[in-house]
Amino acid sequence: MTAQLIDGKALASTVRGTVKDAVAQLKAEHGITPGLAVVLVGSDPASEVYVRSKGKQTIEAGMNSFEFRLSVDTSEKELMGLIERLNTDPEVHGILVQLPLPAHLDSKLVINAIHPHKDVDGFHTTNVGMVGTGQDAIVPCTPRGCMMMLAQIYPDLRGKTALVIGHSNIVGKPMGRLLLNADCTVIVSHKSSTNIPELARMSDIIVVAAGVPGLVKADWIKPGATVIDVGINRVPAPENGFKDDGTVKTKLVGDVDFDAAKEVAGAITPVPGGVGPMTIACLLVNTLSACCNLNSLPEPVLLGA
Ligand code: NAD
């Protein structure tokens, strides 16, 4: 059997198109342009890439993008001062502080300084608590993207058994809560769990976000199950040859042994081109939703997001 591929690149492109249309409508009917402020402290190369990509896609969706690049030795007071300004700026509807922050800054404190209605990453304790209690709130982007991908396969998730591998605050835990809110029977596992292969074999849905290349093997997967691979790992790829400096080229892989797993699963996401593109698309969805909410306007319906 060859699994149905859940094409995150194509779905993300559709979502971005829908957001763009809704933004145009918001401008035409209400004269409002959603604005996203992204704050980057320091110059971590991976964070630089994400911030650039977020800014580009925000502008392509017709929104305003505000970037704040602060030096690595920015004090907590300076950063809090900027967040306070952005909280009260009527042109800013979403605020995202790129993580990880330098070690001298307390990320929990910083995230909780963002106004919950502008917290488009969905990491503020208020949003976490509201999602956890099944209330409407801003949902973290990656789990939101995973739910949209699952909606491509299941019109109704009720009663499905779902295993989440990984329990980070940004992916695994909110993913578990969203699946529970959708009335799945949910198991959230992590690196201290001892029986993940057996748990996986009883699951209709596996969502893995562990950061361990090839962790999920084909024989862990119940035939026909849906596998959502959140992992992004850069591994050596000698088959691709060598770089100019003589080191071996690398490639991106997920947390699933994809080639073998696709012969057992019913549906599966690839890496790259799966969950990754959905994350930024959902950031745009969250910014649009935040803008509507802050302006007391109804939220547009966006593909079951
Ligand atoms: P994290 O390091 O914060 O958490 C990893 C989680 O996996 C922990 O709960 C840990 O207990 C668990 N874990 C680690 N090894 C395990 C094992 N062998 N068996 C079972 N559980 C194990 O990571 P994170 O921020 O949640 O990210 C996880 C992965 O997802 C990374 O590869 C990251 O790059 C990727 N990621 C992708 C996106 C995206 O947009 N596609 C977004 C966020 C994270």
Side-chain angles (χ1 to χ4, degrees):
M1 178 170 116
T2 301
Q4 174 185 343
L5 206 66
I6 311 174
D7 184 344
K9 213 170 151 186
L11 182 58
S13 163
T14 308
V15 172
R16 288 196 306 270
T18 318
V19 169
K20 190 174 178 174
D21 291 347
V23 168
Q25 200 180 337
L26 201 60
K27 276 190 205 175
E29 290 178 8
H30 301 280
I32 299 167
T33 303
L36 172 65
V38 176
V39 181
L40 175 64
V41 186
S43 54
D44 173 62
S47 295
E48 289 270 7
V49 172
Y50 288 131
V51 167
R52 260 200 306 279
S53 183
K54 284 167 187 172
K56 183 169 170 273
Q57 294 193 32
T58 304
I59 291 164
E60 280 169 4
M63 303 188 189
N64 289 327
S65 167
F66 309 102
E67 277 182 26
F68 297 87
R69 291 165 182 276
L70 309 182
S71 73
V72 69
D73 53 5
T74 298
S75 70
E76 200 160 271
K77 193 166 169 235
E78 283 171 294
L79 182 54
M80 294 300 218
L82 172 61
I83 291 173
E84 201 38 58
R85 263 200 299 126
L86 297 174
N87 278 341
T88 53
D89 185 334
E91 292 208 357
V92 172
H93 307 97
I95 305 170
L96 182 153
V97 177
Q98 185 66 41
L99 301 178
L101 285 171
H104 68 282
L105 296 168
D106 179 345
S107 50
K108 276 201 194 102
L109 207 70
V110 170
I111 297 303
N112 279 330
I114 298 172
H115 192 291
H117 290 166
K118 295 192 177 187
D119 162 44
V120 282
D121 256 341
F123 296 160
H124 191 289
T125 307
T126 299
N127 286 316
V128 173
M130 287 178 77
V131 169
T133 48
Q135 301 176 69
D136 278 345
I138 302 181
V139 173
C141 303
T142 302
R144 187 169 193 166
C146 293
M147 291 301 282
M148 289 171 80
M149 296 178 109
L150 285 171
Q152 300 291 298
I153 305 298
Y154 303 103
D156 185 353
L157 284 165
R158 270 180 299 181
K160 303 283 180 237
T161 300
L163 171 69
V164 180
I165 307 177
H167 72 338
S168 71
N169 289 336
I170 63 166
V171 191
K173 283 181 195 157
M175 190 69 227
R177 293 184 192 111
L178 291 177
L179 288 164
L180 198 56
N181 291 349
D183 283 348
C184 289
T185 304
V186 184
I187 304 158
V188 179
S189 64
H190 42 76
K191 62 173 178 277
S192 303
S193 304
T194 53
N195 55 344
I196 294 180
E198 293 99 278
L199 298 170
R201 282 183 207 111
M202 358 182 298
S203 301
D204 305 305
I205 295 164
I206 299 172
V207 180
V208 57
V212 180
L215 175 69
V216 175
K217 312 282 183 277
D219 69 358
W220 293 19
I221 299 168
K222 179 164 115 175
T226 298
V227 180
I228 307 286
D229 190 352
V230 182
I232 302 177
N233 309 289
R234 191 162 278 287
V235 297
E239 69 275 19
N240 292 345
F242 293 86
K243 295 187 212 164
D244 292 344
D245 64 4
T247 56
V248 75
K249 284 194 174 162
T250 58
K251 65 176 177 185
L252 288 183
V253 297
D255 288 351
V256 176
D257 179 4
F258 181 82
D259 288 338
K262 75 176 190 324
E263 301 305 322
V264 186
I268 192 165
T269 63
V271 177
V275 177
M278 290 302 292
T279 296
I280 300 190
C282 286
L283 174 65
L284 303 179
V285 172
N286 281 354
T287 306
L288 175 62
S289 299
C291 177
C292 292
N293 184 26
L294 287 159
N295 286 285
S296 307
L297 293 167
E299 263 189 55
V301 178
L302 294 161
L303 292 161

